[in-house]
């Protein structure tokens, strides 16, 4: 199998896995009264991909997941918030991978979560034109840091296990 076909297959599988995780997470009720708070388990795959694929490949994977996630959830309005958060996070993490090595993925994931929440908040402020939404921002940042640490640690464990398996 050629290198291009192998990489395309890997990216397709990663996209499918992240989409499956996203759909499963949709079934979990939000225990918090604040909209936008969730674990973001599909980001485990994104964090892994940021450190193992080229920027345009990860961006394509995230774009496909976001679009299909909107289709499967039936919530196209959420696509505005998801996309703004996801791509701000992605740009930030792609920059961070130059300074934060693979052994500290969780740190990049926490910072990525903060950027994700910031992107979502910016989109919400633009769409709703309601400055009162900023009252949610501190709660989003705290929950984002916790979720980012969890998903980052999961991505770090996955990366370490896959490395051992390749040896």
């Amino acid at each position: 199998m050629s290198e291009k076909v192998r990489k395309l297959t890997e990216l397709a599988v990663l996209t499918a896995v992240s989409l499956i995780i996203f759909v499963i997470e949709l079934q979990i009720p939000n225990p918090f009264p604040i909209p936008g708070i969730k674990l973001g388990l599909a980001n485990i795959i994104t964090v892994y991909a940021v450190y193992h694929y080229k920027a345009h490949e990860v961006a394509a994977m995230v774009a496909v997941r976001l679009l299909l996630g909107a289709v499967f959830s039936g919530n196209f309005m959420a696509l505005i918030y998801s996309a703004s958060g996801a791509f701000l996070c992605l740009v930030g993490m792609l920059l961070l991978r130059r300074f934060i090595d693979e052994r500290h993925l969780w740190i990049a994931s926490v910072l990525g979560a903060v950027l994700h929440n910031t992107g979502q908040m910016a989109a919400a402020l633009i769409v709703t034109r309601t400055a009162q939404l900023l009252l949610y921002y501190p709660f989003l940042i705290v929950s984002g840091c916790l979720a980012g640490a969890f998903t980052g640690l999961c991505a770090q464990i996955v990366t370490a296990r896959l490395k051992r398996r390749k040896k």
Side-chain angles (χ1 to χ4, degrees):
M1 179 173 3
S2 78
E3 181 66 24
K4 276 187 170 184
V5 172
R6 184 187 61 75
K7 189 176 273 196
L8 183 61
T9 304
E10 287 175 5
L11 287 166
V13 169
L14 289 174
T15 304
V17 169
S18 68
L19 189 58
I20 290 166
I21 293 170
F22 173 80
V23 170
I24 290 170
E25 191 174 359
L26 282 176
Q27 304 308 310
I28 301 170
N30 184 358
F32 303 103
I34 299 170
I37 292 180
K38 66 180 201 164
L39 276 175
L41 297 174
N43 292 323
I44 295 168
I45 306 303
T46 304
V47 172
Y48 168 81
V50 162
Y51 278 81
H52 293 93
Y53 294 92
K54 294 177 183 168
H56 70 277
E57 294 167 337
V58 182
M61 186 187 86
V62 169
V64 169
R65 184 188 82 215
L66 290 173
L67 187 59
L68 290 176
V71 170
F72 291 153
S73 69
N75 189 354
F76 285 96
M77 188 60 189
L79 185 59
I80 295 169
Y81 305 109
S82 298
S84 61
F87 284 105
L88 185 59
C89 171
L90 182 58
V91 167
M93 287 191 58
L94 288 167
L95 292 171
L96 287 171
R97 76 178 178 184
R98 295 177 181 187
F99 308 104
I100 299 173
D101 66 6
E102 205 172 84
R103 292 173 296 144
H104 299 94
L105 283 178
W106 69 274
I107 296 170
S109 182
V110 168
L111 295 170
V114 169
L115 290 170
H116 191 280
N117 289 134
T118 301
Q120 285 184 311
M121 181 57 69
L125 290 169
I126 291 167
V127 168
T128 65
R129 295 186 176 108
T130 306
Q132 291 172 322
L133 288 176
L134 287 172
L135 295 173
Y136 289 122
Y137 191 62
F139 298 103
L140 289 175
I141 294 300
V142 170
S143 68
C145 287
L146 294 172
F150 178 74
T151 57
L153 286 170
C154 290
Q156 200 166 313
I157 291 167
V158 166
T159 299
R161 288 191 178 172
L162 287 174
K163 271 190 171 180
R164 275 184 278 177
R165 189 168 180 226
K166 286 183 180 181
K167 287 183 180 182

